[in-house]
């Protein structure tokens, strides 16, 4: 990049603003106004939008072909410089748009000034950001699919592994580990559906809306929209430049995804703790203690859990920025980019970490099965048997079962370890057949209703999940 003095750079900035300003901005104004430190991430999208706009201007006869071709060649040169890291970004030029235009002027001269015909930074940045978010959604969808794949693999391997199912974090009923893991496959599936919905809704092109009112030039907005992969142009110029619904929606679906990631991470933390000891992460996803040599800390899971707060905070922050903005564009909208970039990076890292942990984790099937039998977890199976076999109303069966649970607790044993005489003392009609439903394996095998935890169900559900999601 050719050398320019600080004074020359200030003049370039003023020239890009136009003749309205005689003096350069003060240091504080420059600091608060500049966005190049973060919006440089939009460079590929910005150049793609500029190339589409230039091609349209040429096709419409709005700018001469020679100038248009020079602009296109210059934009390709700038893209190469940025991709290779050779481009010298200048904070005095405020943002990615002015940095590109200033460099283009150095490369092709006065013809560069034709590129901004019939557009504004207002429609330009909205277009750039929509393309960036669209690309981010595609990347996150792939990462979320990878997590689903790892979960399904583990679910198939542990379709019959019995573990305690919890409500209120209290032992409730036995379930299978495969069934538990497939629950997260469903959650992430809904997250991916929200990504697809967001992508579809955002896919209207703002370019050509100009500053806010459209343009008097005979532009072809359908052509630029098509060239950039949009379904069509945004219908209202005021809305096109001021709409950030797509950013809010991206952060919103990101917040829901982050909550799902945090819940799974929390379970990994619990399962790897010594009181649970259901699972173990390898050294690749664990850390030690600087003081306690025996410790194995699931720090990767803890950090995924913690980063959920960043995503929720980003959503809340942007909603507060947007809530009082009148139409159309206001510089407040510059605050939309950093949270988007940060959330996309946070989600991508968290998904990669969770996928690695799920693929890496090993489960202690005997420990889980033993825990599943504690807390009288088959009490519901007993109540169901009383209804199904003896024809009791469920509420009466519930009371009888409660009395038998109390009796087992007093004896310090599980329900299936009670003598038949103890059971018949509470309900004379109970027979020895009741013991067929009281073991934890019998319990999970009996839960064969659609969506239930029976191993045969889990195996079928895993196959179906592969068909639906992978």
């Amino acid at each position: 990049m050719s050398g320019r003095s600080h004074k020359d750079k200030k003049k370039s900035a003023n020239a890009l603003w136009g003749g309205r300003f005689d003096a350069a901005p003060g240091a504080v104004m420059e600091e608060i106004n500049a966005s190049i430190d973060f919006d440089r991430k939009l460079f590929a999208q910005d150049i793609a939008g500029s190339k589409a706009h230039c091609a349209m201007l040429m096709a419409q006869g709005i700018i001469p072909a020679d100038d248009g071709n020079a602009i296109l060649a210059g934009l390709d040169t700038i893209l190469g410089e940025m991709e290779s890291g050779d481009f010298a970004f200048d904070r005095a030029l405020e943002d990615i748009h002015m940095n590109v235009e200033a460099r283009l002027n150095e490369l092709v001269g006065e013809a560069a000034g034709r590129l901004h015909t019939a557009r504004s930074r207002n429609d330009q940045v909205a277009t750039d950001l929509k393309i960036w978010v669209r690309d981010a959604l595609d990347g996150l969808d792939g990462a979320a699919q990878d997590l689903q794949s790892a979960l399904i693999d583990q679910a198939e391997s542990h379709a019959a592994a019995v573990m305690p199912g919890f409500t209120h974090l209290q032992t409730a009923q036995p379930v299978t580990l495969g069934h538990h893991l497939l629950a997260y496959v469903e959650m992430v599936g809904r997250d991916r559906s929200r990504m697809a919905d967001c992508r579809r809704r955002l896919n209207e092109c703002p370019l050509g809306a100009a500053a806010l009112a459209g343009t008097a030039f005979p532009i072809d907005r359908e052509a630029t929209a098509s060239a950039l992969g949009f379904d069509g142009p945004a219908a209202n110029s005021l809305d096109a430049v001021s709409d950030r619904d797509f950013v809010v929606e991206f952060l919103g679906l990101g917040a829901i995804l982050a909550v799902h990631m945090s819940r799974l991470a929390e379970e990994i933390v619990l399962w790897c703790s010594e009181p649970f000891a259901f699972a173990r992460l390898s050294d690749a996803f664990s850390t030690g203690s600087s003081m306690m040599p025996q410790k194995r800390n699931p720090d990767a899971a803890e950090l995924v859990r913690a980063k959920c707060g960043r995503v929720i905070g980003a959503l809340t922050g942007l909603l507060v920025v947007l809530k009082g903005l009148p139409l159309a564009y206001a510089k407040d909208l510059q605050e939309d980019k950093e949270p988007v970039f940060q959330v996309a990076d946070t989600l991508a890292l968290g998904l990669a970490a969770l996928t690695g942990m799920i693929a890496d984790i090993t489960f202690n099937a005997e420990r889980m099965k033993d825990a599943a039998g504690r807390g009288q977890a088959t009490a519901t199976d007993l109540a169901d048997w009383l209804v199904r076999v003896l024809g009791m109303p469920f509420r009466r069966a519930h009371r009888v079962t409660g009395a038998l649970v109390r009796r087992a607790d007093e004896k310090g044993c599980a329900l299936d370890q009670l003598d038949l005489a103890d059971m018949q003392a509470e309900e004379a009609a109970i027979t020895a057949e009741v013991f067929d439903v009281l073991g934890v394996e019998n319990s999970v095998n009996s839960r064969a209703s659609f969506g239930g935890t029976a191993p045969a169900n889990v195996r079928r559900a895993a196959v179906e999940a592969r068909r639906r999601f992978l």
Side-chain angles (χ1 to χ4, degrees), residues 267-349:
E267 301 225 70
I268 292 173
V269 172
L270 288 174
W271 293 344
C272 291
S273 68
E274 189 59 34
F276 275 78
F278 288 178
R280 180 184 175 92
L281 289 171
S282 74
D283 292 350
F285 291 98
S286 304
T287 65
S289 165
S290 63
M291 179 181 179
M292 296 168 285
Q294 83 281 10
K295 294 291 293 298
R296 289 180 60 84
N297 299 324
D299 282 5
E302 292 173 5
L303 288 166
V304 169
R305 182 178 62 187
K307 290 179 186 297
C308 177
R310 290 191 185 195
V311 182
I312 295 171
L315 170 62
T316 302
L318 184 62
L319 286 170
V320 172
V321 168
L322 296 176
K323 73 174 183 63
L325 295 186
L327 293 177
Y329 182 84
K331 200 59 179 274
D332 308 54
L333 295 177
Q334 185 167 290
E335 294 298 309
D336 61 357
K337 296 168 196 62
E338 287 183 286
V340 168
F341 300 152
Q342 291 168 359
V343 164
D345 289 345
T346 298
L347 293 175
L349 180 60

Side-chain angles (χ1 to χ4, degrees), residues 80-358:
E81 292 174 348
M82 290 182 170
E83 289 176 337
S84 66
D86 293 333
F87 190 91
F89 290 98
D90 184 355
R91 294 189 85 246
L93 295 171
E94 295 185 29
D95 56 31
I96 185 63
H97 322 299
M98 286 188 167
N99 270 265
V100 170
E101 187 166 335
R103 177 61 174 144
L104 187 63
N105 186 71
E106 292 177 349
L107 291 170
V108 305
E110 190 172 337
R114 296 190 183 279
L115 178 59
H116 212 54
T117 305
R119 77 172 182 185
S120 163
R121 283 189 293 176
N122 296 354
D123 61 340
Q124 188 179 356
V125 70
T127 303
D128 291 358
L129 191 55
K130 278 196 169 185
I131 299 172
W132 196 95
V133 170
R134 191 176 66 190
D135 293 344
L137 285 167
D138 291 344
L140 289 172
D141 180 72
Q145 185 181 52
D146 289 343
L147 175 57
Q148 287 180 301
S149 180
L151 287 163
I152 293 169
D153 286 346
Q154 289 282 21
E156 285 182 323
S157 297
H158 298 90
V162 181
M163 68 176 292
F166 299 99
T167 61
H168 310 276
L169 205 56
Q170 304 296 314
T171 300
Q173 294 177 267
V175 297
T176 52
L177 175 59
H179 191 58
H180 192 113
L181 295 174
L182 288 178
Y184 284 100
V185 174
E186 295 299 320
M187 293 184 208
V188 177
R190 293 192 295 273
D191 292 321
R192 292 181 62 199
S193 176
R194 279 182 280 270
M195 292 180 197
D197 288 345
C198 179
R199 194 189 194 286
R200 175 178 54 82
R201 268 187 291 274
L202 72 76
N203 212 33
E204 297 179 344
C205 185
L207 202 58
L212 75 163
T215 178
F217 290 96
I219 61 173
D220 184 349
R221 294 192 63 205
E222 292 284 354
T224 49
S226 177
L228 294 170
F230 288 99
D231 296 329
N236 182 284
S237 61
L238 286 166
D239 180 55
V241 299
S242 62
D243 165 43
R244 293 299 184 273
D245 289 1
F246 67 98
V247 180
V248 173
E249 191 167 1
F250 175 75
L251 298 180
L253 69 87
I256 297 172
L257 170 58
V259 167
H260 290 157
M261 292 163 59
S262 181
R263 294 181 72 182
L264 177 55
E266 166 67 5
E267 301 225 70
I268 292 173
V269 172
L270 288 174
W271 293 344
C272 291
S273 68
E274 189 59 34
F276 275 78
F278 288 178
R280 180 184 175 92
L281 289 171
S282 74
D283 292 350
F285 291 98
S286 304
T287 65
S289 165
S290 63
M291 179 181 179
M292 296 168 285
Q294 83 281 10
K295 294 291 293 298
R296 289 180 60 84
N297 299 324
D299 282 5
E302 292 173 5
L303 288 166
V304 169
R305 182 178 62 187
K307 290 179 186 297
C308 177
R310 290 191 185 195
V311 182
I312 295 171
L315 170 62
T316 302
L318 184 62
L319 286 170
V320 172
V321 168
L322 296 176
K323 73 174 183 63
L325 295 186
L327 293 177
Y329 182 84
K331 200 59 179 274
D332 308 54
L333 295 177
Q334 185 167 290
E335 294 298 309
D336 61 357
K337 296 168 196 62
E338 287 183 286
V340 168
F341 300 152
Q342 291 168 359
V343 164
D345 289 345
T346 298
L347 293 175
L349 180 60
L351 286 168
L354 277 176
T355 301
M357 282 185 281
I358 291 298

Side-chain angles (χ1 to χ4, degrees), residues 401-411 426:
T401 301
L404 289 171
V405 166
R406 183 175 62 249
R407 185 178 288 257
D409 288 343
E410 290 170 351
K411 290 196 165 193
E426 297 292 344

Side-chain angles (χ1 to χ4, degrees), residues 22 56 74 88 123 150 179 225 246 268 293 307 363 370 391 393 396 426 435 444 462:
D22 294 324
M56 180 276 295
D123 61 340
H179 191 58
F246 67 98
I268 292 173
K307 290 179 186 297
F363 292 97
D370 179 66
R396 181 183 168 199
E426 297 292 344
F435 293 103
V444 296

